[in-house]
Amino acid sequence: MFAATMRSGAARFAAALSAFAALAGASPAPTAVPDPASVPDPVVTPAYIEYLPTKTRPQRRDIIDALGSAAESVLGSLPSYVVSGVQEWGLNLPTGDAVQSSLSVSDDDLDALPTQVMNIPPYANWTDQGWNVRFHGNVYKQPNLSEDRLNELADIFLPDVDAEDLPPDQAEQARNLTGAIFVVQQDDENVTMHIEPAPSAGSSGEEGGGGATTPEGGYQNITLPYETTELGDFDAFVPIELNGLTPGNETDEIQRLNVYAQGATLGNATAYLVPPTGLTIISDIDDILRVTKIYDPEEGLLNTFARPFRPWMNMPDIYANWSRSLDNAHFHYLTTTPEQGTRLYMDFIYKTYPGGSFDTRPLNFSDVSATLSIRKYLLDRVLDTFPQRKFVLVGDTTNSDVMSDYPQLAQERPDQVQCILLRNTSATDDSNHFPYDTSDFENLNNQSYMFFRTPDDLMGLDIEGGNCLNASVRQNVTFGYQNLPFGEDAAVTVFPNAFFSVMAAALAMTWLLV
């Protein structure tokens, strides 16, 4: 298989060089379209319906194949999941009947399983009707699978290693995440939430952070107004009535509630009642709060399925300092990780960073095209919910949607977006070979955003006052494509056809030699 992949890659590299030779002196030139019969099917995500796939290694072949089209743009020629920071394993995951059929679970066995709820920590806003909580998550049942069966399923996602050969803690993580993927979502379910005051807040962890306070007294049971969708999702704003809550127009402090899904073996979360004014920090997770390396498919899989999650450098210190120094800051964690993997992410965040509300990719955003729009959809929803709050957007240059959505929001909502802080991933990780486009930042105030290399670059920033740039950190933003293979921070704003060919050939060679 490896030899075949290399032959395919060599063929695509040769095609890219041929295209370069043909196009070097001509503009415009026809697009070179490969013979479909000669191009192997790209391996993206195994097909799960009705059968279980065999183990597949993450393929660089599809990257090379994509680069072979010399007339496409640099970013457009790369797989969408790579340039948008979406891990390949998370595309087109099995759901519902497909899981039940693949695992040979009978209807009777499924009915006997307990109902579980992915209760994602919500935020709440203050309205004329009082506090309004956005309850969202998923209802599902998890088949009972043996350790051997989970190992077999985990092997689908693990590159060049079997789950049973991993160290015990890594094997357990692989089985846990795999078990969370192979669940059967429950449609047309009524969801009832029990809410009550949360324990005293701390400075970090699920029960603390962000200057949250604890109301006293009372509880309430709330049945959501809609049944779960075909894929088991629920998402609705619901007004609450609970003794001891301070009205949002009388406090600038964040209050917290415990939220439990009734009739479920799992389903607890913390709700964050966020007043109309103040500062909200919205943060991506992969390659900014934790080490993932989405841009390196094999490393990305191992860092998610096997290796314990670990923070990127000393980033927890930055967030802990913000939690202490910023008055009543609200932390919101927004990731395009598929919903099935959310528990692992939330567990890491609440053990490592200040507590806060959470957004993930719901199941109705399942394919690549939808995934590329989900971040903007979720960002707009948060900003629409809190029109008077100021926002700090934190991410990294790996995600093309971040590179366009963040500056677009800053232009559309200048009174809301206070700062944009982006980790320049390629500057500190030489395994990141992919360009990123800074052109959308050209019309922004250059004090309102910063590309940083290490967490320490964020120390001392007055983000509350809108001073988002550390003057000692070299920016070198030339408003075009950067991280090109012809030199660090090279930038190009206009690409003739011949340049596309050079890019395709150079990047194809890079991947052949890695």
Side-chain angles (χ1 to χ4, degrees), residues 418-429:
Q418 183 107 316
C419 292
I420 298 175
L421 304 173
L422 294 170
R423 176 194 170 191
N424 185 348
T425 315
S426 60
T428 53
D429 193 333

Side-chain angles (χ1 to χ4, degrees), residues 54-56 148 150-168 170-172 174-175 302 305-306:
T54 57
K55 179 182 177 72
T56 56
D148 288 342
L150 285 170
N151 283 341
E152 175 189 348
L153 294 171
D155 287 346
I156 297 166
F157 304 99
L158 294 170
D160 297 334
V161 65
D162 292 335
E164 63 182 5
D165 296 329
L166 292 170
Q170 295 187 22
E172 182 178 5
R175 287 191 293 269
L302 290 172
F305 274 86

Side-chain angles (χ1 to χ4, degrees), residues 19-29 497-498:
F20 169 64
L23 296 174
S27 179
N497 284 340

Side-chain angles (χ1 to χ4, degrees), residues 144-427:
N144 294 319
L145 300 176
S146 68
E147 183 174 302
D148 288 342
R149 187 63 161 152
L150 285 170
N151 283 341
E152 175 189 348
L153 294 171
D155 287 346
I156 297 166
F157 304 99
L158 294 170
D160 297 334
V161 65
D162 292 335
E164 63 182 5
D165 296 329
L166 292 170
D169 61 332
Q170 295 187 22
E172 182 178 5
Q173 175 167 311
R175 287 191 293 269
N176 286 341
L177 182 52
T178 301
I181 290 171
F182 285 91
V183 298
V184 182
Q185 289 77 21
Q186 302 296 293
D187 62 354
D188 299 329
E189 292 285 335
N190 290 303
V191 178
T192 298
M193 296 295 185
H194 174 92
I195 60 173
E196 61 185 40
S200 298
S203 60
S204 64
E206 183 171 4
E207 300 302 336
T213 62
T214 304
E216 295 181 357
Y219 69 88
Q220 184 180 359
N221 294 327
I222 301 170
T223 299
L224 304 192
Y226 312 108
E227 295 178 339
T228 57
T229 68
E230 182 180 359
L231 294 174
D233 282 335
F234 60 90
D235 193 337
F237 277 94
V238 181
I240 63 171
E241 298 178 3
L242 193 64
N243 294 332
L245 296 181
T246 303
N249 56 359
E250 297 179 8
T251 182
D252 59 0
E253 295 184 332
I254 296 170
Q255 302 170 81
R256 300 178 311 114
L257 300 173
N258 278 340
V259 181
Y260 303 96
Q262 290 195 333
T265 56
L266 290 174
N268 60 303
T270 301
Y272 294 81
L273 279 57
V274 182
T277 60
L279 186 69
T280 291
I281 297 170
I282 300 180
S283 182
D284 194 13
I285 295 175
D286 286 310
D287 291 312
I288 183 70
L289 300 188
R290 84 172 186 99
V291 175
T292 309
K293 299 195 174 185
I294 287 177
Y295 40 82
D296 187 334
E298 292 185 14
E299 284 292 296
L301 283 172
L302 290 172
N303 286 331
T304 298
F305 274 86
R307 297 167 182 158
F309 282 19
R310 58 190 175 95
W312 175 59
M313 301 181 69
N314 61 322
M315 202 63 168
D317 295 339
I318 303 299
Y319 277 64
N321 180 60
W322 285 343
S323 180
R324 290 189 299 267
S325 61
L326 300 175
D327 289 336
N328 303 304
H330 166 220
F331 291 87
H332 184 67
Y333 302 97
L334 192 159
T335 175
T336 56
T337 296
E339 201 166 56
Q340 297 96 318
T342 301
R343 286 199 198 281
L344 196 60
Y345 275 71
M346 290 193 299
D347 182 65
F348 165 74
I349 288 296
Y350 296 136
K351 288 178 179 176
T352 316
Y353 290 95
S357 51
F358 215 93
D359 256 321
T360 188
R361 190 176 89 223
L363 292 182
N364 60 313
F365 288 87
S366 57
D367 60 23
V368 175
S369 60
T371 294
L372 302 189
S373 64
I374 182 58
R375 190 187 305 274
K376 182 63 161 57
Y377 169 80
L378 294 173
L379 285 167
D380 280 334
R381 192 164 195 186
V382 178
L383 271 68
D384 286 344
T385 303
F386 303 102
Q388 299 177 61
R389 291 186 72 84
K390 302 291 186 181
F391 291 85
V392 175
L393 309 180
V394 186
D396 70 275
T397 57
T398 300
N399 298 347
S400 66
D401 53 345
V402 162
M403 296 300 293
S404 59
D405 292 347
Y406 280 12
Q408 181 182 343
L409 282 172
Q411 292 189 54
E412 294 173 350
R413 305 167 183 260
D415 294 333
Q416 286 184 275
V417 178
Q418 183 107 316
C419 292
I420 298 175
L421 304 173
L422 294 170
R423 176 194 170 191
N424 185 348
T425 315
S426 60

